[in-house]
Amino acid sequence: MKNDKHIDIVLSLPCDVDVELVKKKIISIMQKDVRTLKCRRVLVKISESRDYNLSFMARLWVSREDYWELRYDLIQEFKKELTIENIV
């Protein structure tokens, strides 16, 4: 566990999105990556609400050596999958 580190990624999406669909999609993406530590819970919450958007905070745990590569890969995968779902 000393070698574990959490990744926090904030996504800003339009305020009219289907919140539950977004959360399910993001959780699914994080859980299917083999670098995500399965012994720790993944988390997606609305961290902020503004006039025109919602900020979703996604958190997962990873080994330190996988941190940066997984972070960048997830950001790209979130964008790809949310575009396919017509969310962004």
Side-chain angles (χ1 to χ4, degrees), residues 14-47:
C15 62
D16 62 347
V17 297
D18 180 333
V19 171
E20 292 307 312
L21 176 62
V22 169
K23 289 170 68 174
K24 283 166 66 173
K25 201 69 180 160
I26 292 171
I27 287 170
S28 172
I29 292 165
M30 292 189 299
Q31 287 179 333
K32 75 180 177 186
D33 195 296
V34 297
R35 297 168 293 181
T36 299
L37 296 179
K38 307 303 185 227
C39 60
R40 302 277 194 123
R41 192 177 118 200
V42 298
L43 177 71
V44 178
K45 297 284 185 181
I46 295 175
S47 59

